[in-house]
Amino acid sequence: CDVAVQGYTDNQGWKNSTVAQSQEKNLALSQDRAQAVSSYLLGLAVPPAQIKSVQGFGEANPIADNSTVAGQRENRRVEVYMYASEAMIKAAQNQQ
């Protein structure tokens, strides 16, 4: 299968930073989170060709309310998507 790794943060600002600077730092942090998970998968012997994308989205796409500590915690996450590779699709089509 192919793998996509996506990192996210909450919307909390960084100390002594403007809103724009905080958003930029959160974007970089989310990319670092996604990269850490990708590196972990590679360390488990997942072939590099299977990891199709590693991307940070910063504060975008919250899954919980950022106005609460619990919601902020949920929004600091990494999502890993596994989907059929082109080879898997072709193999399935050939079996029909």
Side-chain angles (χ1 to χ4, degrees), residues 1-2 50 83-93:
C1 68
D2 289 339
Q50 277 186 270
Y83 50 96
S85 66
E86 199 63 38
M88 289 176 73
I89 293 169
K90 287 180 183 176
Q93 290 172 338

Side-chain angles (χ1 to χ4, degrees), residues 2 5 15 25 29 32 37 42 49-50 60 63-65 76:
D2 289 339
V5 184
K15 188 175 183 178
K25 289 177 182 181
L29 175 60
D32 290 346
V37 171
L42 293 171
Q50 277 186 270
I63 58 170
D65 184 355
R76 296 186 297 261

Side-chain angles (χ1 to χ4, degrees), residues 5-9 26-27 30-31 55-61:
V5 184
Q6 299 177 352
Y8 298 90
T9 65
N26 280 337
L27 186 60
S30 67
Q31 180 66 38
Q55 189 171 5
F57 290 94
E59 305 169 14
N61 305 317

Side-chain angles (χ1 to χ4, degrees), residues 8-70:
Y8 298 90
T9 65
D10 59 30
N11 70 347
Q12 296 306 293
W14 289 68
K15 188 175 183 178
N16 299 321
S17 295
T18 66
V19 171
Q21 290 169 330
S22 289
Q23 289 172 338
E24 200 172 302
K25 289 177 182 181
N26 280 337
L27 186 60
L29 175 60
S30 67
Q31 180 66 38
D32 290 346
R33 285 183 174 147
Q35 190 60 54
V37 171
S38 174
S39 295
Y40 177 76
L41 293 173
L42 293 171
L44 293 175
V46 172
Q50 277 186 270
I51 300 177
K52 298 299 182 183
S53 67
V54 179
Q55 189 171 5
F57 290 94
E59 305 169 14
N61 305 317
I63 58 170
D65 184 355
N66 269 312
S67 69
T68 68
V69 172

Side-chain angles (χ1 to χ4, degrees), residues 72-91:
Q72 292 165 9
R73 190 177 304 121
E74 288 183 58
N75 289 328
R76 296 186 297 261
R77 68 193 190 281
V78 174
E79 296 178 358
V80 178
Y81 295 92
M82 297 181 294
Y83 50 96
S85 66
E86 199 63 38
M88 289 176 73
I89 293 169
K90 287 180 183 176

